[in-house]
């Protein structure tokens, strides 16, 4: 198997204020800590919850991918104001124009770009399916669904989506994962064998095994990051999803900024 994949992240706060830089840099990092735990299955809530849930899901194995997200410090030389090498790739305020109408930033192609902006009323975030690293495609999160903790002015995480799981979910899309409920009870669903097919999304705080799947006796994997439950109730990818993400990583291997 391959060595750990280091993923260089650039975090963009186009409506932020440069005077808030120290707060926004710390806030940006709270999200990196969440995705590092979630993608490597070292999140504490997985350990504390799956043991009791797993009997409802005999055909599902939890999965992880060997990745490490780091806010880049080797920076693009031409952004304004310039971010010097050694400083964090966190852009604030200055590039608002480029993010108002597009979710592509070719200046930061080769990075995993997060943009925190108005994603639309009631929208937590969105992402392309199978995103382009070399093309500078971005994952977008709304103001209240990025990071954990108390946040910064204008960027305060909002319950029940305040544990950073929107980024875990959107990145899943970027790495080619569909929703677990994709296609409902027909077709190839999410193209992942070990996530039971289910007719609809589940919201809120369901108990494990409480939502019927499409196949008699099967239960919806509501605790999966690719469903719609509250942040507190999603805590795993499946092994099949991890395999699908690995296939994506293989196709973009040379696209990351070194
Ligand atoms: N509705 C959004 C999407 O489909 C994100 C859902 C994220 N859910 C969460 N608990 N944070 O991409
Ligand atoms: Zn989604
Ligand atoms: Ca499936």
């Amino acid at each position: 198997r391959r060595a750990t994949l280091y993923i260089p992240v650039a975090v963009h706060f186009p409506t932020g204020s440069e005077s808030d830089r120290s707060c926004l840099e710390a806030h940006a990092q709270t999200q990196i800590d969440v995705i590092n735990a979630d993608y490597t299955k070292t999140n504490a809530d997985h350990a504390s919850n799956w043991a009791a849930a797993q009997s409802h899901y005999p055909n599902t194995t939890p999965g992880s991918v060997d990745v490490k997200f780091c806010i880049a410090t080797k920076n693009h030389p031409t952004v304004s104001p310039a971010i010097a090498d050694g400083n964090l790739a966190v852009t604030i305020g200055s590039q608002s124009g480029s993010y108002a109408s597009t979710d592509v930033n070719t200046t930061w192609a080769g990075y995993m770009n997060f943009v925190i902006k108005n994603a639309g009323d009631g929208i937590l975030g969105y992402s392309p399916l199978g995103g382009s690293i070399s093309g500078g495609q971005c994952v977008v999160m709304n103001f209240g669904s990025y990071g954990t903790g108390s946040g910064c002015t204008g960027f305060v995480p909002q319950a029940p989506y305040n544990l950073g799981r929107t980024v875990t979910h959107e990145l899943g899309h970027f790495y080619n994962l569909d929703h677990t409920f994709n296609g409902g009870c027909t077709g190839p669903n999410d193209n992942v064998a070990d996530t039971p097919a289910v007719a609809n999304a589940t919201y809120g705080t369901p108990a494990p095994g409480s939502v019927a799947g499409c196949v008699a006796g099967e239960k919806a994997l509501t605790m999966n990051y690719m469903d719609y439950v509250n942040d507190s109730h999603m805590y795993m990818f499946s092994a099949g999803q991890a395999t699908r993400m690995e296939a994506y990583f293989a196709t973009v291997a040379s696209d990351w900024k070194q």
Side-chain angles (χ1 to χ4, degrees), residues 37-245:
D38 288 355
Y39 276 76
T40 58
K41 209 181 59 176
T42 55
N43 49 306
D45 55 348
H46 183 275
S48 61
N49 290 320
W50 178 250
Q54 62 178 329
S55 65
H56 299 286
Y57 308 99
N59 302 320
T60 302
T61 310
S64 65
V65 285
D66 189 6
V67 294
K68 184 154 176 64
F69 298 93
C70 305
I71 300 179
T73 53
K74 181 167 183 187
N75 286 309
H76 199 286
T78 62
V79 295
S80 174
I83 295 180
D85 277 352
N87 293 338
L88 295 174
V90 175
T91 76
I92 303 174
S94 58
Q95 299 184 64
S96 55
S98 60
Y99 294 114
S101 57
T102 173
D103 302 316
V104 173
N105 187 338
T106 52
T107 300
W108 290 91
Y111 298 78
M112 190 73 246
N113 287 293
F114 297 159
V115 181
I116 298 84
K117 69 172 194 179
N118 183 352
D121 271 1
I123 306 290
L124 298 172
Y126 57 86
S127 168
L129 183 66
S132 170
I133 302 297
S134 58
Q137 279 191 299
C138 302
V139 174
V140 175
M141 268 65 59
N142 219 328
F143 302 116
S145 43
Y146 181 89
T148 63
S150 51
C152 311
T153 304
F155 301 93
V156 178
Q158 301 292 317
Y161 303 110
N162 57 345
L163 301 179
R165 260 66 196 257
T166 299
V167 178
T168 304
H169 175 112
E170 301 308 338
L171 273 180
H173 289 316
F174 205 96
Y175 304 150
N176 221 15
L177 299 185
D178 271 309
H179 295 131
T180 48
F181 50 88
N182 190 57
C185 290
T186 54
N189 310 102
D190 61 355
N191 290 293
V192 175
D194 65 353
T195 55
V198 60
N200 298 113
T202 301
Y203 293 85
T205 60
S210 63
V211 178
C214 296
V215 174
E218 279 193 353
K219 306 297 183 191
L221 195 67
T222 56
M223 61 289 294
N224 191 266
Y225 295 126
M226 302 315 290
D227 202 341
Y228 274 178
V229 299
N230 288 357
D231 280 15
S232 60
H233 279 61
M234 51 172 60
Y235 53 80
M236 54 101 60
F237 287 115
S238 75
Q241 289 174 320
T243 299
R244 198 171 164 83
M245 290 194 278

